[in-house]
Amino acid sequence: MLNEVEIAGRYVHAVTRMTLGHKMLKSGLALLAGGPIDMAKRIHLAQVAKQSDCDLIHLTLDHVDGDYRMTGIHICAPRDIAVYTYPECRLSLVGKHAIIIPPKGGRGHFELTPRELIHRPHKPDGWEEGIDRAERRLRDLVEQEVDTAGQIDLYTVPRVA
């Protein structure tokens, strides 16, 4: 049986493959995984994004129906003097790579490049159906333990109280 850290790592690898294909992740963009985000953690992530001048994509994991799994995506994107945050985002598979859809009422969608997160002003056709495709693909990649060696460096950080 896998522990929470191993499961979180599988999600990071799977989301990386779904959003970037086989492109190598570079400085300027980081994928993180951890527990639910409350307001204090949201502010802390925004501060880290600003100080590091790095777009952060936090994969939120939690216990649901006896399983530890990804429940959402939280984005922090520093731009100029502001840090834009988008909680409760979801993946959508509408083409070759998955995109990130902001929460209900959010405008457009996000695409990942190896160095940054790009906001596109409109949602592509089929994005709603793409959410179901993305959930199935993500589940398959996590179960298969997709390998992104050489594409990303995965670090485990001890839990901070």
Side-chain angles (χ1 to χ4, degrees), residues 49 81 97 102 127 144 156:
I81 61 170
H97 300 296
W127 70 269
Q144 295 169 8
T156 302

PDB file of all heavy atoms in Angstrom, residues 49 81 97 102 127 144 156:
ATOM      1  N   ALA A  49       5.534  32.400  -4.311  1.00  0.00           N
ATOM      2  CA  ALA A  49       5.530  32.646  -5.761  1.00  0.00           C
ATOM      3  C   ALA A  49       6.168  33.997  -6.073  1.00  0.00           C
ATOM      4  O   ALA A  49       6.983  34.109  -6.989  1.00  0.00           O
ATOM      5  CB  ALA A  49       4.102  32.576  -6.298  1.00  0.00           C
ATOM      6  N   ILE A  81       3.457  43.615 -10.095  1.00  0.00           N
ATOM      7  CA  ILE A  81       3.447  43.798  -8.640  1.00  0.00           C
ATOM      8  C   ILE A  81       2.412  42.915  -7.946  1.00  0.00           C
ATOM      9  O   ILE A  81       2.328  42.893  -6.727  1.00  0.00           O
ATOM     10  CB  ILE A  81       3.191  45.270  -8.262  1.00  0.00           C
ATOM     11  CG1 ILE A  81       1.840  45.741  -8.781  1.00  0.00           C
ATOM     12  CG2 ILE A  81       4.327  46.158  -8.764  1.00  0.00           C
ATOM     13  CD1 ILE A  81       1.397  47.091  -8.245  1.00  0.00           C
ATOM     14  N   HIS A  97      -2.437  18.026 -25.053  1.00  0.00           N
ATOM     15  CA  HIS A  97      -2.030  18.235 -23.668  1.00  0.00           C
ATOM     16  C   HIS A  97      -3.202  18.762 -22.853  1.00  0.00           C
ATOM     17  O   HIS A  97      -4.076  19.462 -23.373  1.00  0.00           O
ATOM     18  CB  HIS A  97      -0.870  19.233 -23.579  1.00  0.00           C
ATOM     19  CG  HIS A  97       0.340  18.792 -24.319  1.00  0.00           C
ATOM     20  ND1 HIS A  97       1.047  17.660 -23.977  1.00  0.00           N
ATOM     21  CD2 HIS A  97       0.979  19.320 -25.385  1.00  0.00           C
ATOM     22  CE1 HIS A  97       2.067  17.517 -24.799  1.00  0.00           C
ATOM     23  NE2 HIS A  97       2.047  18.509 -25.667  1.00  0.00           N
ATOM     24  N   PRO A 102      -9.983  27.412 -14.746  1.00  0.00           N
ATOM     25  CA  PRO A 102     -10.210  28.076 -13.453  1.00  0.00           C
ATOM     26  C   PRO A 102     -11.582  27.701 -12.879  1.00  0.00           C
ATOM     27  O   PRO A 102     -12.408  27.116 -13.582  1.00  0.00           O
ATOM     28  CB  PRO A 102     -10.135  29.560 -13.800  1.00  0.00           C
ATOM     29  CG  PRO A 102     -10.358  29.655 -15.256  1.00  0.00           C
ATOM     30  CD  PRO A 102      -9.970  28.336 -15.862  1.00  0.00           C
ATOM     31  N   TRP A 127     -14.233  21.836 -23.609  1.00  0.00           N
ATOM     32  CA  TRP A 127     -13.512  21.806 -22.337  1.00  0.00           C
ATOM     33  C   TRP A 127     -14.288  21.078 -21.248  1.00  0.00           C
ATOM     34  O   TRP A 127     -13.686  20.431 -20.397  1.00  0.00           O
ATOM     35  CB  TRP A 127     -13.132  23.210 -21.876  1.00  0.00           C
ATOM     36  CG  TRP A 127     -14.292  24.065 -21.424  1.00  0.00           C
ATOM     37  CD1 TRP A 127     -15.027  24.899 -22.204  1.00  0.00           C
ATOM     38  CD2 TRP A 127     -14.842  24.149 -20.109  1.00  0.00           C
ATOM     39  NE1 TRP A 127     -16.003  25.500 -21.452  1.00  0.00           N
ATOM     40  CE2 TRP A 127     -15.909  25.061 -20.166  1.00  0.00           C
ATOM     41  CE3 TRP A 127     -14.533  23.548 -18.899  1.00  0.00           C
ATOM     42  CZ2 TRP A 127     -16.676  25.376 -19.045  1.00  0.00           C
ATOM     43  CZ3 TRP A 127     -15.291  23.865 -17.777  1.00  0.00           C
ATOM     44  CH2 TRP A 127     -16.340  24.766 -17.856  1.00  0.00           C
ATOM     45  N   GLN A 144      -0.525   3.597 -13.311  1.00  0.00           N
ATOM     46  CA  GLN A 144       0.596   3.026 -14.065  1.00  0.00           C
ATOM     47  C   GLN A 144       1.942   3.509 -13.546  1.00  0.00           C
ATOM     48  O   GLN A 144       2.979   2.971 -13.922  1.00  0.00           O
ATOM     49  CB  GLN A 144       0.503   3.416 -15.543  1.00  0.00           C
ATOM     50  CG  GLN A 144      -0.683   2.858 -16.259  1.00  0.00           C
ATOM     51  CD  GLN A 144      -0.855   3.506 -17.633  1.00  0.00           C
ATOM     52  OE1 GLN A 144      -0.004   4.258 -18.100  1.00  0.00           O
ATOM     53  NE2 GLN A 144      -1.970   3.232 -18.261  1.00  0.00           N
ATOM     54  N   THR A 156      11.105  15.712  -2.024  1.00  0.00           N
ATOM     55  CA  THR A 156      10.165  15.516  -0.937  1.00  0.00           C
ATOM     56  C   THR A 156      10.575  16.440   0.205  1.00  0.00           C
ATOM     57  O   THR A 156      11.728  16.434   0.628  1.00  0.00           O
ATOM     58  CB  THR A 156      10.192  14.055  -0.452  1.00  0.00           C
ATOM     59  OG1 THR A 156       9.892  13.207  -1.564  1.00  0.00           O
ATOM     60  CG2 THR A 156       9.178  13.838   0.653  1.00  0.00           C
TER      61      THR A 156
END
